[in-house]
Amino acid sequence: MTSSAHEHVFTRHADVRTALADPHLVPSPARSGPVGSMAWLRDTVARFSTGDTHARRRALLEADLARLDPSALRQAARSGPAGEARVIVVRTLAESLGLSDPDAIAAAITVVAGAYFGDGGEDRADADAAVAWLLPRVLAVDPVDPEAAASRIGLLVQACDATGSLVDHARRAADDCPVAPSTEALLAETLRYDPPVRTMHRIAVRHTRVAGVAIAEGDLVTLDIAAANQDPDVYENPSTFDPERSGPPPLTFGSEPRICPGKNHALALAAGILDRAPAEIVEAMVRHVLTLADTWTAWDGRPAPADDRIYTPHKAIRRVADHLVDHLAEMEARLAGQEPQPDHWHASQITTKADLAPFTQADLDEAHSRLSRLAQIWSNRLNALTPDQLDHSPGPGWSFRKLALHLAGSVYYADAIGSLAPTERRTP
């Protein structure tokens, strides 16, 4: 634990759990705003509420969750249209709640999610417009009061951000498993090892103590969930990803009395997406990349930094295509009983002059053609394999099912550029 005069950071598992249970440490209140605005939404949901108001709003949320069967959500996420994880999550929930036009709902919720977890001080006209668009559509299904409608929008927003990230992190973590674990074991260890929510923030409404530290009224408290989940006093070899791990559950979903009421629903949605056929995973990745690429003709020529590298539209397309071709060659060689040829292509460390060229409509057309055909080849090949071939694949290396999960991470290259659509986007 480190502290300053008015701010405290807790990192130990026991201390974070104690702080989460302390009734005198509550989420920072949201500023108010007119009905249908981003500020109004944050000020009206349970997440940012306290006391009796929190209890009333949490009951509204729990009532909506009680209408949703986690097993049905898992099946719907598994069998519904493919797409990016966050879109599948929101679309599945929207359909289950009876909302019309779930794809448009998902698009609007994605905009709201970008501002929902801030402090509310930013001027986000796009988020305000999205909330204003969502409110009457939620009320049209069930004419509840605005507070209950805000609760449903908040449910969709939190699922979009946290559950979608959980799926992405689980796919990334699967690369570290020599043997493919069960979906449930993969998710459980991902929640500990690479949680989608890494910190939680609280404010003291009266004097209290945590782990012997005096916290004055008005002090800020940061709970480092990621650090607590890797506390060596609680977890053996905490920096190792181990799906067979035993021990106490991680604190990613919080702790009583404010443990996330949608835990089982979030895990069901994430499991359903991870259960999807490997071919659909690759197809969804390519669709996500091309959806972003559709905006890249507006690129201004400045490379985008990501970690210790830079990316451009041409480089992102090149890396996605290279990734698909490299592992396709590996899979075909292993199926033929041959040793795969090593990859000698230039990877992300290199930025060529061609990578820096303008991204034209002709380049976009070629990207669609190239990546779509590669996705079709992967889809045809994976769909032709038996479950045993997918999970117990010939030759050394990952199983072919894991290869598909690994390829889903190719969205990284495109996400480094992101969408270059105008910020004053039209709300669905």
Side-chain angles (χ1 to χ4, degrees), residues 256-310:
E256 296 294 352
R258 293 180 69 113
I259 193 167
C260 175
K263 173 182 176 180
N264 292 335
H265 301 78
L267 289 174
L269 286 163
I273 296 172
L274 293 172
D275 286 343
R276 298 179 77 91
E280 293 185 5
I281 292 172
V282 176
E283 292 170 358
M285 179 274 291
V286 169
R287 275 195 297 273
H288 176 73
V289 170
L290 292 177
T291 296
L292 292 178
D294 285 340
T295 72
W296 292 350
T297 54
W299 182 53
D300 61 7
R302 291 180 296 178
D307 298 324
D308 60 344
R309 301 171 183 177
I310 60 171

Side-chain angles (χ1 to χ4, degrees), residues 56-281:
R56 183 183 72 250
R57 291 173 176 173
R58 184 182 174 99
L60 292 172
L61 177 59
E62 290 174 340
D64 274 337
L65 289 169
R67 298 165 47 199
L68 305 174
D69 176 19
S71 61
L73 289 177
R74 181 169 182 168
Q75 175 59 33
R78 179 192 300 125
S79 59
E84 199 265 334
R86 288 165 178 77
V87 173
I88 295 176
V89 166
V90 178
R91 186 173 56 215
T92 302
L93 279 175
E95 289 177 342
S96 300
L97 290 169
L99 300 177
S100 61
D101 200 351
D103 287 317
I105 294 288
I109 288 294
T110 301
V111 175
V112 177
Y116 185 78
F117 293 98
D119 61 10
E122 299 178 350
D123 182 13
R124 287 291 303 270
D126 57 346
D128 285 339
V131 173
W133 182 89
L134 285 161
L135 181 57
R137 285 155 181 81
V138 172
L139 291 172
V141 175
D142 184 6
V144 293
D145 59 58
E147 187 176 62
S151 177
R152 291 177 185 171
I153 296 172
L155 168 62
L156 294 170
V157 171
Q158 292 184 200
C160 173
D161 192 75
T163 309
S165 293
L166 174 59
V167 171
D168 293 341
H169 293 191
R171 286 172 170 165
R172 184 168 61 211
D175 290 352
D176 295 329
C177 302
V179 178
S182 68
T183 300
E184 290 75 13
L186 175 63
L187 286 171
E189 179 66 347
T190 300
L191 286 169
R192 185 201 68 83
Y193 181 80
D194 190 11
V197 177
R198 304 190 67 82
T199 59
M200 296 183 187
H201 302 282
R202 297 289 187 264
I203 188 169
V205 292
R206 58 175 295 181
H207 175 80
T208 188
R209 299 183 73 85
V210 174
V213 177
I215 300 174
E217 180 179 343
D219 278 1
L220 301 177
V221 174
T222 295
L223 307 177
D224 191 331
I225 302 299
N229 286 348
Q230 296 203 24
D231 187 339
D233 292 336
V234 178
Y235 302 104
E236 185 178 356
N237 298 322
S239 60
T240 299
F241 187 87
D242 180 9
E244 303 304 317
R245 181 184 301 279
S246 59
L251 297 172
T252 308
F253 283 107
S255 182
E256 296 294 352
R258 293 180 69 113
I259 193 167
C260 175
K263 173 182 176 180
N264 292 335
H265 301 78
L267 289 174
L269 286 163
I273 296 172
L274 293 172
D275 286 343
R276 298 179 77 91
E280 293 185 5
I281 292 172

